[in-house]
Amino acid sequence: MALSVVLGNPATDRHTIAQRLREADGERTAGLFAEADDVRRREVGECVHFRGLIEISNHCRRSCWYCGLRVEHRILHRYRLSADEILACARAAAAWGCGTAVLQSGEDSGLTSRFVGGVVERIKAETPLAVTLSLGERCRRDFLRWKRAGADRYLLRFETSNNELMRRIHPVRRGTAPRRIELLRILRDMGYEIGSGVMVGLPGQTYEDLANDIAIFAELDLDMIGCGPFLPHPATPLGRGRVPLAISLTDQVPADASMALKVIALSRLACPQANIAVSTALSTLDPMAGRERGLQCGANVLMPNFSPSMHRAKYAIYPAKSDVGNNERESPDALRQRTLRLGRSVGSGRGDSPAYRARRAERTATMRESLP
Ligand code: SAH
């Protein structure tokens, strides 16, 4: 458990977090953003880390009610990058100056354990990049194999800590249970840096649910956090208005940019040393200033897209993603300019989270002490 999770700490107290999420007063909300910005500056500094996002496959075996990649979306044109294509994207990310490649996909059985292991090995051998995987729920053996191949980090959003809601919108595969939080602990024990997050404003999500999510970020002592507004996709049950859980309108969290920013800010207070990303979903909702606003209320990571442009539109988890097509404002160079204009610098190197570095140092010290 993180040091910050101590009794009476308002940053991790569910009741206080819920109150701050519900805050309607503009001045007090601006105060929250300023406080998160101060904590960000003090704990992780002025550097913004750039991670090169590579969407390696849009095949998916799941039926999530929120996601456009769901298996039932039959008219979606599916693609899976070859190892050489992934390596070309990774090299481009490294040449541009990213310290990390993030390989993301639907939950694709066609991405075999051996294939992913081989790709990770090649990226580690042929580039200086740290490798983050975000390939959904897989078995222990796969996670272990990829760790041994050199993978550094794993991103797996738990989407919502409300189990009843999660069961509805993320139907479990036969014989398995909702277990993303458990998987995150397993990944942590294997030595991965772990990242997670939730969608903000899911239908059926209450302020109390969302406050609980943020408190769990601290309990898990996350190294990385990524949260974004829920954006309805017309080819999904939630996009067509299905109601997963009936709750009152006053309890329903809105899926807007200002709520997403509050979640970034409260995540920074709950996990001062985590690497916190501004999501593409926030930038889709607020194309002109979403990235800037995120970086000014607690975030310190951007993930420009390095996927081959011919496939980008097909990675349609929600419609009109801001990094699709010729959107110049979202190119890596434009994001760098936008970052510098805020008076921030662009990080070099791997950009591990300070929390992770501290844990590693502690582990090494304990190992030394236990040596004869
Ligand atoms: N298959 C992987 C990666 C999924 S895409 C996995 O399940 O972990 C990454 C994230 O996009 C998801 O975790 C989810 O939080 C987010 N996402 C999916 N559909 C979305 C939607 N309609 N609106 C906003 N975010 C969405």
Side-chain angles (χ1 to χ4, degrees):
M1 196 177 284
L3 281 179
S4 54
V5 187
V6 287
L7 219 57
N9 177 352
T12 55
D13 173 71
R14 287 159 168 79
H15 181 69
T16 314
I17 299 173
Q19 257 178 350
R20 301 188 91 173
L21 287 169
R22 280 185 191 271
E23 181 61 70
D25 180 82
E27 230 167 85
R28 277 202 290 268
T29 300
L32 166 67
F33 294 163
E35 186 186 344
D37 198 39
D38 283 346
V39 173
R40 186 271 309 154
R41 187 174 304 113
R42 190 182 71 222
E43 301 289 337
V44 296
E46 296 292 5
C47 258
V48 175
H49 300 294
F50 277 60
R51 321 294 201 198
L53 177 64
I54 310 173
E55 295 155 336
I56 65 173
S57 159
N58 71 348
H59 287 267
C60 191
R61 59 189 176 195
R62 307 297 293 251
S63 305
C64 302
W65 285 23
Y66 46 87
C67 182
L69 304 189
R70 67 199 308 265
V71 65
E72 289 81 1
H73 192 191
R74 308 232 182 262
I75 59 168
L76 180 67
H77 198 275
R78 305 282 173 166
Y79 73 91
R80 184 180 298 124
L81 301 187
S82 68
D84 286 339
E85 285 172 316
I86 300 172
L87 260 292
C89 298
R91 270 190 221 105
W96 183 86
C98 290
T100 299
V102 180
L103 311 191
Q104 196 182 73
S105 69
E107 209 173 287
D108 176 10
S109 344
L111 290 173
T112 62
S113 187
R114 179 211 278 265
F115 174 82
V116 174
V119 167
V120 171
E121 256 168 34
R122 281 188 61 191
I123 297 179
K124 299 299 287 193
E126 298 172 30
T127 78
L129 296 168
V131 173
T132 302
L133 299 176
S134 178
L135 312 177
E137 295 162 38
R138 303 282 299 226
C139 67
R140 252 187 128 88
R141 270 216 327 264
D142 293 352
F143 290 147
L144 255 184
R145 177 176 198 154
W146 302 338
K147 186 82 197 81
R148 289 194 184 123
D152 300 279
R153 313 181 185 132
Y154 206 94
L155 285 180
L156 186 69
R157 291 191 181 177
F158 61 79
E159 317 295 5
T160 170
S161 59
N162 178 333
N163 281 331
E164 207 186 333
L165 178 57
M166 184 66 171
R167 259 199 299 275
R168 288 281 159 82
I169 64 171
H170 182 82
V172 294
R173 288 169 59 227
R174 235 181 313 157
T176 61
R179 51 183 194 133
R180 290 196 161 206
I181 292 181
E182 187 192 320
L183 284 181
L184 285 162
R185 295 211 167 91
I186 290 174
L187 287 159
R188 147 74 43 82
D189 288 345
M190 287 180 186
Y192 283 95
E193 259 187 88
I194 55 167
S196 194
V198 298
M199 280 173 280
V200 177
L202 279 168
Q205 180 187 53
T206 67
Y207 289 94
E208 283 64 34
D209 291 336
L210 190 52
N212 197 42
D213 297 340
I214 295 170
I216 290 175
F217 296 167
E219 283 169 17
L220 286 169
D221 195 9
L222 292 178
D223 303 300
M224 305 169 283
I225 299 173
C227 296
F230 162 70
L231 300 169
H233 189 302
T236 62
L238 290 183
R240 289 194 216 99
R242 282 268 292 271
V243 177
L245 281 184
I247 59 169
S248 79
L249 261 183
T250 50
D251 286 336
Q252 173 66 51
V253 173
D256 60 28
S258 133
M259 192 55 62
L261 292 168
K262 278 188 189 173
V263 171
I264 292 180
L266 290 162
S267 301
R268 172 59 67 201
L269 301 186
C271 303
Q273 300 211 317
N275 282 324
I276 300 183
V278 185
S279 65
T280 307
L282 176 58
S283 164
T284 301
L285 211 55
D286 179 359
M288 288 318 282
R291 303 282 191 188
E292 284 82 353
R293 291 170 81 198
L295 289 177
Q296 288 175 306
C297 16
N300 69 324
V301 170
L302 293 178
M303 293 169 57
N305 199 330
F306 280 87
S307 310
S309 46
M310 61 180 292
H311 292 306
R312 281 196 201 174
K314 294 176 231 160
Y315 199 81
I317 49 185
Y318 47 80
K321 268 170 74 210
S322 65
D323 58 4
V324 166
N326 295 327
N327 186 355
E328 263 312 305
R329 282 185 67 73
E330 289 289 312
S331 73
D333 287 341
L335 289 174
R336 172 160 39 207
Q337 285 312 317
R338 291 168 71 181
T339 301
L340 297 175
R341 249 181 265 132
L342 295 177
R344 304 275 283 276
S345 54
V346 173
S348 56
R350 296 166 43 107
D352 292 327
S353 88
Y356 175 77
R357 285 203 303 265
R359 226 173 32 246
R360 274 236 314 236
E362 207 173 286
R363 225 182 254 181
T364 318
T366 326
M367 272 164 56
R368 273 208 205 102
E369 273 166 28
S370 61
L371 286 176

